[in-house]
Amino acid sequence: MLEYSFLERINERAKNYIFPIETPVDEAVYKPKSFFSISNKEADEYKFKAIKYSFKHHYENNVFYHKLCRERNVKSDDIKTIDDFKKIPLIPHEFFKDYPSGREFAVWLANIMSIKLPEIVIKGKNPTYDEVIEAFKEAGIVVAYSSGTTGKFTFIPRDEKSYKMTEYSIAKSAIDMLQHWWDYDAYSYLLFPDPRTTNIFVGKVTAILFDMVKDTRVAIETQITTDLLRISMGVVKNFKERMMSKFIRSAMKRMNEKMVDKIIKWADERSKNNDRIFFAGAPFILDMVIEKMEKEGISYDFGELGAVLTGGGWKTQEAKRLPVDDFRKKVEKYFGIPPENCLDLYAMVEGNGYMVHCPEGHYLHIPKTYYHPIVLDEDGEQVGYGEEGRFAFLDAIPRSYPGFIITADKVRLHEDCPSCQRDGMVLEPEVSRIRGEEIRGCAEEMRKILTGGE
Amino acid sequence: MGKLKEIREKGYIIPYRMLKIVIGALPALLKAMVKHPVMILSSNLKAKKVEKGLVTELPYEIPEYKPGMPYCKSNKRYLRPTHLCNSHAPEIVALANELGAFKLDDYEYAENVFNFVKNNIKLAFVGLDREVDTLRRGSGTCVHQLSLLGALLRSGCIPFRYRLYSLAVVESLYQNEVEASQVVKEWYDAIGAFMLHGTGEVYIDGEWLTADPTFTPPYEAALGLPLAKFGEDPLGVWNFPVEGTMMLLEGLPYGAGAAWNLLANWIAKGERLKVDISMERARERGRKILEEIGVEAYDEMVRKKYKAKLPKITLEKSPQLVFID
Ligand SMILES: [Zn+2]
């Protein structure tokens, strides 16, 4: 059989995201023919070398992380096998939410980073978060963020290489599971803010979609800043912002309605031309589109030509939660896209691992070569396979910050996928939030903005 | 003019922020209630009986007031009586004297008052009433407890103020309080937070110290929380304030409790009692835990878990950052 391999196809399109292989991390990201379907043995070799290398890098180059390791009595040579991974000190996600404002915010960013900074010029006596982020961007460092319902942001700085690698990884992971559908000659609709103008993480990281698919549209064109996010979530500091908040909310609502109409019009054209289509982004936007189609009695039949990849979280308040199963049924009913082509992706701003549903059973497969999942109980002890607990991970990709992090998400990890033949660990299809942790997820923040904070 | 200033300072007019929080929380509550009329009705019918079962003996005696007992007569901010926080009430003055007002130093006295309220007053979601009502009943919401705490402190000439905010709670608390009632659960889930919580602030030696007496030790043990001490902030331990909702108030506004009272005492009394019962059962469990492990050993064990959760970072100057005005 003539096989123009998946890896070759993807690497051809993702040329701009590939660096010469110099380190075990580069190897683990660029070399494997898949993050999901290679053997555990092969994957573990990549993973061990990559994470060991990454740990050593942060141990040696990050003052604060070095101190943490010293406190926990761990040295970089202590990691001799994958079993030793449990010695690697983890950073709670709250750490990245605990930052000062103004100039000190820039100093904080500099202090959490494990690389030599370029010169960064910051103007003004009391710069806003957005201004500091812009200054870092000028110097080639992308500070992506995500916010939660209590209005605090999580900021994560990535240098150019880490950033390109994370984009490469999301593409390689997502397209792997959609191989049967993927072709460059397709049309996609990004149900997120424009990656070229936003710093919201999931919006930002999807920029690579423009290279993977011939024609990509963006649903949210307004530039979304931290201030806009905060204000539209109703966290206002003064009278002026209170007024702005009202204005933004009504403007966003109007924009929202237009957006839905535009998407339907686009689907209509694509359907007439028999095009290959792809929706990528926040599930609630597609849900709004479907609601409108339902009302107006519209439906399409894209069949195998259509694919959907949702992301950014279903972690909304339970009362408003979109059941993922129902969602797939709706997508099939109104777009004719089969459930095997309707997948969800789980990721977070702090990490560079992209867990993607397998088409067979919609389990979230974990990338095996550079990312190591851990599930902890509330005492911080690891729990066994199949037990519920808090998700944590060791992520070899980021050079700019230590990617050894405890999240706020509740998961169940299985040693093998109950539904498909791919070797390796999976999470159960739906991830929820641990109580007491605020609800977060890029989709949730978008939803708040677009619906006027309802 | 002076009167108006005082009214404003004392916080008698509901602050805009609080109004916004309360009004913002109403639609979700109404929705949750409208969805379950039968449940609310049937739980209300059982309310009387249930309420009787909740009455327990007070773990303390209220000392007798004797004329001439000293108390703070100052009209300064944070020292004078405010709405539902009457530091001149005879029972309050008598108890303040017993707890060492004007005898112990400020910190010791404040700690005594804190421990009294924390250890003796059980959390219960009753309608808002006076500090002496809380003292006679032995139970109340966090706000009741703060009013009692504040009245005792002010009576002993220690400034006190309220810190009110919306908050999200930890899983164990959610399970015990929120999930106890379907209506409360739907309400909480819709907002993603509790409408209002209060923590006290106490002014000693030029500093506002935190005092959150909300939970009794058995309840903390049942939830797996450390036993809160005077001066400790619940922030990050069991509570996560919602950004932008924090209010510092000298006193409670007039009428702020009206909607709450209507709800807790009448409309959804049965649902509220479900939560109270759930908490009472937890306290029974907690008492057993403390008896088995020992109070100090328990606290030490739990604190280890909470200690050093966040790695420390020092902000060192980076020569690569160039700041220009
Ligand atoms: Zn699978």
Side-chain angles (χ1 to χ4, degrees), chain B residues 132-251:
Chain B
V132 287
D133 300 314
T134 306
L135 182 63
R136 287 175 198 158
R137 189 174 47 233
S139 65
T141 65
C142 52
V143 176
H144 287 87
Q145 300 191 36
L146 289 184
S147 294
L148 176 58
L149 181 86
L152 289 166
L153 288 167
R154 288 175 185 173
S155 188
C157 259
I158 295 177
F160 165 86
R161 68 185 181 195
Y162 298 82
R163 187 206 299 166
L164 302 181
Y165 49 95
S166 297
L167 84 171
V169 299
V170 292
E171 179 88 22
S172 55
L173 208 60
Y174 177 86
Q175 283 169 356
N176 189 255
E177 289 179 20
V178 182
E179 284 185 342
S181 153
Q182 186 61 26
V183 177
V184 176
K185 181 180 179 306
E186 282 176 24
W187 184 25
Y188 184 103
D189 287 346
I191 306 172
F194 234 46
M195 188 170 69
L196 213 59
H197 173 70
T199 295
E201 293 197 0
V202 186
Y203 194 74
I204 295 173
D205 287 339
E207 224 186 319
W208 284 103
L209 304 178
T210 302
D212 196 315
T214 310
F215 304 139
T216 54
Y219 194 57
E220 288 170 319
L223 298 181
L225 298 172
L227 309 180
K229 294 190 175 79
F230 178 54
E232 286 181 340
D233 207 308
L235 201 142
V237 177
W238 58 266
N239 102 20
F240 305 89
V242 176
E243 195 108 324
T245 61
M246 199 79 85
M247 293 167 279
L248 292 171
L249 302 175
E250 183 186 342

Side-chain angles (χ1 to χ4, degrees), chain A residues 270-337:
Chain A
R270 300 285 78 84
S271 170
K272 281 184 189 134
N273 295 335
N274 241 337
D275 291 326
R276 186 177 292 273
I277 66 153
F278 183 42
F279 286 111
F284 81 91
I285 297 185
L286 203 52
D287 202 54
M288 289 191 309
V289 171
I290 290 175
E291 234 170 67
K292 180 97 190 250
M293 290 167 64
E294 199 173 356
K295 246 188 232 154
E296 306 202 338
I298 305 170
S299 68
Y300 301 106
D301 189 14
F302 285 99
E304 295 290 338
L305 284 179
V308 173
L309 180 72
T310 49
W314 301 76
K315 303 173 262 192
T316 59
Q317 287 102 329
E318 261 161 50
K320 292 173 194 152
R321 207 179 153 92
L322 264 171
V324 182
D325 261 349
D326 291 358
F327 178 73
R328 284 197 294 266
K329 280 185 198 134
K330 279 205 246 174
V331 168
E332 186 167 28
K333 187 169 169 200
Y334 289 94
F335 286 102
I337 297 174

Side-chain angles (χ1 to χ4, degrees), chain A residues 106-358:
Chain A
V107 179
W108 177 84
L109 280 172
N111 273 276
I112 66 169
M113 293 179 70
S114 322
I115 51 164
K116 237 196 156 112
L117 284 185
E119 188 178 276
I120 298 169
V121 180
I122 293 149
K123 291 179 199 132
K125 279 210 166 69
N126 187 23
T128 64
Y129 294 124
D130 292 321
E131 284 164 350
V132 172
I133 292 172
E134 273 311 304
F136 273 69
K137 198 159 147 194
E138 296 272 302
I141 290 160
V142 174
V143 180
Y145 58 80
S146 172
S147 83
T149 43
T150 65
K152 265 255 168 191
F153 294 92
T154 300
F155 289 103
I156 299 288
R158 287 178 176 83
D159 60 302
E160 195 201 348
K161 186 172 176 187
S162 306
Y163 180 57
K164 291 225 156 142
M165 281 175 107
T166 202
E167 291 192 87
Y168 175 81
S169 297
I170 193 174
K172 188 161 166 179
S173 304
I175 294 177
D176 194 333
M177 291 296 187
L178 285 169
Q179 278 181 59
H180 53 283
W181 166 87
W182 181 53
D183 194 289
Y184 178 72
D185 192 10
Y187 294 80
S188 70
Y189 221 111
L190 188 59
L191 311 174
F192 274 135
D194 196 327
R196 293 161 295 195
T197 57
T198 190
N199 287 305
I200 296 179
F201 182 61
V202 168
K204 190 94 207 142
V205 74
T206 45
I208 194 170
L209 187 58
F210 291 91
D211 295 302
M212 294 294 125
V213 169
K214 189 180 70 186
D215 185 310
T216 297
R217 300 264 177 112
V218 178
I220 303 168
E221 283 153 336
T222 313
Q223 187 179 357
I224 313 256
T225 62
T226 60
D227 278 336
L228 180 75
L229 257 176
R230 179 173 52 75
I231 293 169
S232 57
M233 286 192 160
V235 180
V236 290
K237 286 180 180 155
N238 50 42
F239 182 74
K240 192 180 141 211
E241 288 192 352
R242 199 176 299 150
M243 290 297 109
M244 259 170 78
S245 154
K246 289 206 176 87
F247 174 74
I248 291 172
R249 285 177 191 209
S250 62
M252 286 294 172
K253 263 194 155 156
R254 258 179 284 131
M255 192 187 90
N256 190 8
E257 284 155 22
K258 269 199 205 147
M259 173 185 81
V260 169
D261 291 339
K262 268 191 195 166
I263 296 174
I264 296 178
K265 194 165 163 249
W266 176 84
D268 204 60
E269 277 167 34
R270 300 285 78 84
S271 170
K272 281 184 189 134
N273 295 335
N274 241 337
D275 291 326
R276 186 177 292 273
I277 66 153
F278 183 42
F279 286 111
F284 81 91
I285 297 185
L286 203 52
D287 202 54
M288 289 191 309
V289 171
I290 290 175
E291 234 170 67
K292 180 97 190 250
M293 290 167 64
E294 199 173 356
K295 246 188 232 154
E296 306 202 338
I298 305 170
S299 68
Y300 301 106
D301 189 14
F302 285 99
E304 295 290 338
L305 284 179
V308 173
L309 180 72
T310 49
W314 301 76
K315 303 173 262 192
T316 59
Q317 287 102 329
E318 261 161 50
K320 292 173 194 152
R321 207 179 153 92
L322 264 171
V324 182
D325 261 349
D326 291 358
F327 178 73
R328 284 197 294 266
K329 280 185 198 134
K330 279 205 246 174
V331 168
E332 186 167 28
K333 187 169 169 200
Y334 289 94
F335 286 102
I337 297 174
E340 305 85 68
N341 285 15
C342 184
L343 310 181
D344 191 48
L345 178 147
Y346 163 57
M348 66 218 80
V349 61
E350 300 93 327
N352 307 278
Y354 300 92
M355 280 51 79
V356 188
H357 275 174
C358 58

Side-chain angles (χ1 to χ4, degrees), chain A residues 103 120 122 124 150 379 435-436, chain B residues 169 171 243 305 322 324-325:
Chain A
R103 287 180 171 182
I120 298 169
I122 293 149
T150 65
D379 295 324
R435 197 61 64 174
Chain B
V169 299
E171 179 88 22
E243 195 108 324
K305 193 174 113 185
V322 183
I324 50 176
D325 287 346

Side-chain angles (χ1 to χ4, degrees), chain B residues 81-96:
Chain B
T82 52
H83 182 45
L84 303 180
C85 180
N86 181 9
S87 45
H88 297 176
E91 281 155 291
I92 297 297
V93 173
L95 181 57

